[in-house]
Amino acid sequence: MKKKYLAAKAGYDLYANLYDKKTAYLDSFERFQILPNLGDLKNKQVLDVGAGTGRLSLRLAEKGAMVTALDISSEMLSILRKKKNITTIVADAETLPFPDNNFDIVIAAFLIVHLKKLKYFFAQAYRVLKPGGLLAITNINQKKPPELKTQEGFIIIESYYHRPEQVIKDLEENIFTIKKNILVKDKDVWINQIIVAGK
């Protein structure tokens, strides 16, 4: 069967109604290590970039954060809005539509795998963070993107592999200070990198 290669917006618009079936699978790469490394979230202004259907946005809101969920896919965000009244914005991670110094925390899980060059998003994240704010990202070890089954057949969403040391370097070049760099491993192989960086 022929597979379609799609950019993130088109791919996730098509896959949106099936995405929540992957929640446990996605959680397994993080082992619930993101939110506990962000401190007290109550009343914090948090931007969830690549929020999808709200896997992390909903948990952030439960902990008292004031969440803005941003995604390039309007279909993914429409599913999130049915679950909870959270502010949603359809936009690109590389051109965040917010003023400078606006958020306490920017979080981006399973996002950078879809970005060819990280410097544009990192620069935007730095700009919209308040002084002393935190950026939390995950970097999945995915050299080959998965085939996703949709009603229109199998699709592959455009993805890029980023070496852990290069991600750190790119963050530091955007003046971030690395606070935590966690490699989640399965046996001896890293499957995910969780980074918390400060402005």
Side-chain angles (χ1 to χ4, degrees), residues 31-51:
R31 314 261 167 89
F32 299 100
Q33 291 192 63
I34 298 181
L35 270 52
N37 280 292
L38 297 176
D40 184 8
L41 292 162
K42 193 166 176 58
N43 297 321
K44 293 282 174 66
Q45 292 289 339
V46 180
L47 174 63
D48 185 5
V49 183

Side-chain angles (χ1 to χ4, degrees), residues 66-117:
M66 315 298 287
V67 182
T68 300
L70 180 145
D71 202 280
I72 201 167
S73 166
S74 58
E75 293 297 320
M76 296 278 270
L77 291 178
S78 72
I79 291 169
L80 167 54
R81 283 194 298 274
K82 289 172 189 169
K83 298 175 185 175
K84 190 170 177 67
N85 184 18
I86 285 177
T87 302
T88 60
I89 293 184
V90 178
D92 192 309
E94 295 176 346
T95 51
L96 298 176
F98 306 104
D100 297 357
N101 309 315
N102 200 58
F103 294 98
D104 299 296
I105 297 168
V106 173
I107 191 164
F110 297 99
L111 169 82
I112 68 169
V113 70
H114 298 302
L115 303 178
K116 188 172 186 179
K117 292 187 177 176

Side-chain angles (χ1 to χ4, degrees), residues 34 37-38 46-49 96 103-109 111-112 118-119 121-130 132-138 167 170-172 174-181 194-199:
I34 298 181
N37 280 292
L38 297 176
V46 180
L47 174 63
D48 185 5
V49 183
L96 298 176
F103 294 98
D104 299 296
I105 297 168
V106 173
I107 191 164
L111 169 82
I112 68 169
L118 304 182
K119 62 182 181 181
F121 167 58
F122 289 167
Q124 285 288 297
Y126 192 90
R127 179 184 66 76
V128 302
L129 276 170
K130 297 174 183 176
L134 297 175
L135 169 64
I137 63 169
T138 69
V167 177
D170 288 347
L171 282 165
E172 290 176 338
N174 277 280
I175 338 174
F176 279 103
T177 302
I178 307 303
K179 294 185 174 288
K180 292 186 179 172
N181 179 21
I194 299 171
I195 301 170
V196 179
K199 176 171 177 177

Side-chain angles (χ1 to χ4, degrees), residues 22-33 55 59 110 140 184-186 191-192 194:
K22 292 268 187 191
T23 297
Y25 177 69
L26 296 173
D27 285 343
S28 73
F29 286 91
E30 291 166 1
R31 314 261 167 89
F32 299 100
Q33 291 192 63
R55 186 178 66 92
R59 293 170 191 170
F110 297 99
I140 189 170
V184 179
K185 293 188 175 182
D186 184 12
I191 58 169
N192 198 13
I194 299 171

